[in-house]
């Protein structure tokens, strides 16, 4: 096999593979018959599993045969923007709802403090905190 002039259109990998195959085939004459057959089968399997060159991807042509109209371009852009607008609106509504919940919780706490029998100043007194700790420590 003449390896000095590669066939036109062959990749370097294919050229290298052909040179290696030629070298391997040249040394098989001195091997026993059963080893030579196993090598032949292994080469056939390797050729069956080799990577074939990638074919060009098929070209997709829009059906209808015409160009996109201005209306369809706007609908496509609108279809891309609507989910984003819905996401932003959802996030804003969740934020408003959470703020409303927090405000109502604080209002309930304030009303409970103001309607309690103790004055609000009692809660800030260090002695009251000590009283609460001693009450919690006593068994009932």
């Amino acid at each position: 096999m003449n390896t000095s002039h590669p066939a036109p259109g062959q990749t370097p990998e294919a050229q290298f593979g052909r040179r290696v195959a030629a070298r391997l085939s040249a040394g098989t004459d001195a091997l026993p018959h059963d080893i030579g057959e196993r090598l032949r089968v292994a080469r056939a399997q390797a050729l069956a599993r080799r990577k074939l060159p990638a074919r060009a991807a098929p070209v997709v042509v829009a059906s209808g045969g015409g160009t996109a109209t201005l209306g369809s371009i706007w609908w496509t852009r609108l279809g891309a923007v609507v989910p984003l607008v819905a996401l932003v609106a959802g996030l804003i509504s969740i934020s408003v709802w959470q703020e409303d919940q927090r405000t109502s919780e604080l209002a309930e706490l304030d009303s409970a403090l103001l309607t309690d029998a103790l004055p609000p100043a009692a809660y800030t007194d260090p002695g009251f905190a000590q009283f609460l700790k001693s009450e919690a420590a006593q068994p009932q």
Side-chain angles (χ1 to χ4, degrees):
M1 179 173 161
N2 187 358
T3 58
S4 61
H5 300 295
Q10 276 191 343
T11 63
E13 293 87 8
Q15 294 170 10
F16 176 74
R18 291 194 188 281
R19 286 194 305 250
V20 169
R23 285 280 179 127
L24 290 172
S25 296
T28 57
D29 295 335
L31 293 175
H33 178 69
D34 61 333
I35 295 175
E37 281 300 308
R38 284 191 298 179
L39 287 173
R40 186 189 61 77
V41 170
R43 274 191 228 115
Q45 288 175 351
L47 286 174
R49 291 182 187 165
R50 73 180 176 149
K51 292 182 182 178
L52 297 176
R55 292 188 287 168
V59 177
V60 178
V61 178
S63 62
T67 60
T69 62
L70 184 61
S72 67
I73 292 173
W74 284 108
W75 279 110
T76 304
R77 288 185 182 170
L78 183 66
V81 171
V82 167
L84 181 64
V85 170
L87 176 67
V88 169
L91 290 174
I92 290 172
S93 64
I94 288 172
S95 175
V96 168
W97 178 77
Q98 284 181 338
E99 187 65 31
D100 188 40
Q101 290 293 323
R102 179 75 177 139
T103 304
S104 66
E105 288 173 4
L106 290 175
E108 286 178 23
L109 181 65
D110 287 345
S111 66
L113 282 175
L114 292 174
T115 58
D116 197 11
L118 289 174
Y123 290 105
T124 61
D125 185 13
F128 182 68
Q130 188 63 32
F131 170 75
L132 289 178
K133 288 180 185 175
S134 66
E135 283 289 318
Q138 291 179 359
Q140 292 181 358

